[in-house]
Amino acid sequence: MPEDLEGRLRFDGAGLIAAVVQDAENDQVLMVGYMDRVALARTLTSGRVWFWSRSRKEYWRKGDTSGHVQFVRSVALDCDGDCVLVRAVQVGAACHTGERSCFEAGGEIPAVVLPNEAS
Amino acid sequence: MPEDLEGRLRFDGAGLIAAVVQDAENDQVLMVGYMDRVALARTLTSGRVWFWSRSRKEYWRKGDTSGHVQFVRSVALDCDGDCVLVRAVQVGAACHTGERSCFEAGGEIPAVVLPNEAS
């Protein structure tokens, strides 16, 4: 990891940052995962998206089991260094359920929508 | 919070879920914040986006200080219930730096991009 980048990263108490994966082709938000320093470094250098699985406690290169690979197109860090936005080409479904996006799998939940001036 | 929704939420050890805010008008990912049960309930019922600030340890209705309000258009839960995607109309800049998105503020970081077949 370049030293100047290293200094900007703010990993949490578990050594993780959040990673939002956005479809580089249509801007859909596909999923959110977590990366530690190693998973981020691999994502930045290998062309593929790597995560740290909090539940399985192991590294996870997206698509190795499912075939639903994510090819990195760009990575941006947020203003306070604790989250990255990965724009990627998604092969097949991002979600383990078979849905394109994990947020399509979970689905919309009831939210009150008000006219802007009334909110 | 409706009981069936409550049962699908998976708050972490600190009682939080991640919340990705996406611009409802152009699909740009604007920021990532965190919500506890209360902030989520307020977001779902008030038409405005609420967060729990981990650094300040207080509730935070986006825009109350800055004027950079987020009006809720829809909220989706992910497949495993630990993250929400909020689509919102953003007034002004989402980022405290004045940039529209926190990821524009942090900016792109160097990432190797390979042809898909070579990755």
Side-chain angles (χ1 to χ4, degrees), chain B residues 15-54:
Chain B
L16 301 175
I17 58 175
V20 179
V21 183
Q22 185 177 31
D23 191 318
E25 294 171 333
N26 68 5
D27 292 340
Q28 185 178 28
V29 175
L30 297 170
M31 61 179 291
V32 171
Y34 291 84
M35 296 179 182
D36 67 356
R37 185 173 273 102
V38 171
L40 176 60
R42 290 179 180 175
T43 298
L44 294 175
T45 55
S46 71
R48 291 273 300 274
V49 182
W50 284 80
F51 299 100
W52 172 257
S53 168
R54 297 179 301 170

Side-chain angles (χ1 to χ4, degrees), chain A residues 113-119, chain B residues 46-48 61 69 71 73 89 91:
Chain A
V113 174
L114 297 175
N116 295 355
E117 60 277 14
S119 298
Chain B
S46 71
R48 291 273 300 274
R61 188 170 76 157
V69 170
F71 296 110
R73 284 297 168 266
V89 172
V91 175

Side-chain angles (χ1 to χ4, degrees), chain A residues 12-91:
Chain A
D12 71 8
L16 301 174
I17 58 174
V20 180
V21 183
Q22 184 177 31
D23 192 320
E25 293 171 334
N26 68 5
D27 291 341
Q28 184 178 26
V29 176
L30 297 170
M31 61 180 290
V32 172
Y34 290 84
M35 296 180 183
D36 67 357
R37 186 175 273 102
V38 171
L40 177 60
R42 291 179 180 175
T43 298
L44 293 176
T45 55
S46 70
R48 291 273 301 274
V49 182
W50 284 80
F51 299 101
W52 172 256
S53 169
R54 298 180 301 172
S55 53
R56 298 194 304 274
K57 302 191 189 311
E58 62 183 20
Y59 292 106
W60 162 45
R61 187 170 76 156
K62 180 72 182 167
D64 277 358
T65 305
S66 63
H68 296 158
V69 170
Q70 291 172 341
F71 296 111
V72 174
R73 285 296 169 267
S74 66
V75 182
L77 187 63
D78 78 345
C79 54
D80 57 1
D82 65 359
C83 187
V84 289
L85 174 64
V86 180
R87 291 181 56 88
V89 173
Q90 173 70 55
V91 176

